[in-house]
Amino acid sequence: NNYFDGGGSGINVNGNGLGTGMKNVIIDSNIFINTKGDAVNTILAKNILVSNNVIETNTTEPTFRGIFSGSSTGFTNIYKNKVYAQNDAVGISMDDYYGAPYLLTDSIKVFNNFISVGGTNSASRGLWLNLQYKSSKIFHNSIYNRNSNAQSIAYEFQNRNTLVQTKVVNNIFH
């Protein structure tokens, strides 16, 4: 139950290259207001849970991400978060492309989130997944991309491995 107001970033968790330095990371029930960089950023950690957070920003930094998780092992569960970005942004972003030792049984679950991103200058993404090793389940999210740029996307998935499975069920994309 922390309150972050302004600043470059909110919470940054950075493990080591093997994904074993930071284990069982729980980021729950926080409020982030007007961070310029990522509100929540987890890199190279193992078993991540990000839940019940409220993220609101009016930053004009086009690289803003509400929640980012990169190259983490084990499970990553992101649920019941509210992300609202007035300007160009990415609501929730996941990337496992940086070479940590993954198992194809590692999984990502993104469910029951509300994401709203806006802007006009650069392409916004509501939910962006760039996965090579992890299967994912995307359930019951509401994603509203208000950005008028033609390159903006509510949900974007990039898959670099045919063994990766993604299930997208009962979401609202606008």
Side-chain angles (χ1 to χ4, degrees):
N1 293 350
N2 300 293
Y3 183 86
F4 299 84
D5 190 356
S9 294
I11 295 176
N12 287 318
V13 175
N14 198 338
N16 66 27
L18 298 177
T20 58
M22 294 292 245
K23 294 180 182 176
N24 304 321
V25 176
I26 298 173
I27 300 171
D28 182 66
S29 300
N30 300 287
I31 298 172
F32 303 88
I33 304 295
N34 291 328
T35 58
K36 292 187 181 2
D38 300 343
V40 174
N41 184 319
T42 61
I43 298 174
L44 298 170
K46 183 174 183 175
N47 298 337
I48 299 165
L49 179 115
V50 179
S51 61
N52 299 302
N53 298 289
V54 175
I55 300 166
E56 296 180 6
T57 188
N58 61 9
T59 184
T60 57
E61 294 293 325
T63 58
F64 175 83
R65 296 175 293 198
I67 299 170
F68 174 74
S69 182
S71 298
S72 297
T73 59
F75 68 82
T76 301
N77 291 340
I78 298 178
Y79 66 91
K80 290 177 141 180
N81 298 285
K82 296 177 184 172
V83 179
Y84 180 84
Q86 181 65 33
N87 298 305
D88 305 315
V90 175
I92 296 176
S93 176
M94 321 233 3
D95 193 336
D96 73 356
Y97 193 63
Y98 294 113
Y102 300 103
L103 301 172
L104 288 174
T105 55
D106 289 351
S107 69
I108 292 172
K109 294 179 184 173
V110 180
F111 57 97
N112 292 340
N113 296 285
F114 176 81
I115 303 166
S116 178
V117 293
T120 57
N121 295 323
S122 61
S124 289
R125 303 285 189 266
L127 175 61
W128 183 67
L129 302 178
N130 181 21
L131 302 178
Q132 179 170 341
Y133 302 103
K134 289 186 172 187
S135 293
S136 60
K137 294 179 180 177
I138 312 301
F139 294 164
H140 309 291
N141 298 285
S142 294
I143 301 173
Y144 181 31
N145 192 333
R146 304 175 328 278
N147 191 306
S148 60
N149 186 297
Q151 303 297 316
S152 291
I153 300 172
Y155 168 66
E156 180 175 6
F157 175 69
Q158 296 176 356
N159 180 352
R160 301 177 193 277
N161 183 335
T162 57
L163 297 175
V164 170
Q165 296 180 354
T166 295
K167 294 182 181 176
V168 180
V169 177
N170 202 23
N171 296 278
I172 299 170
F173 301 110
H174 182 273

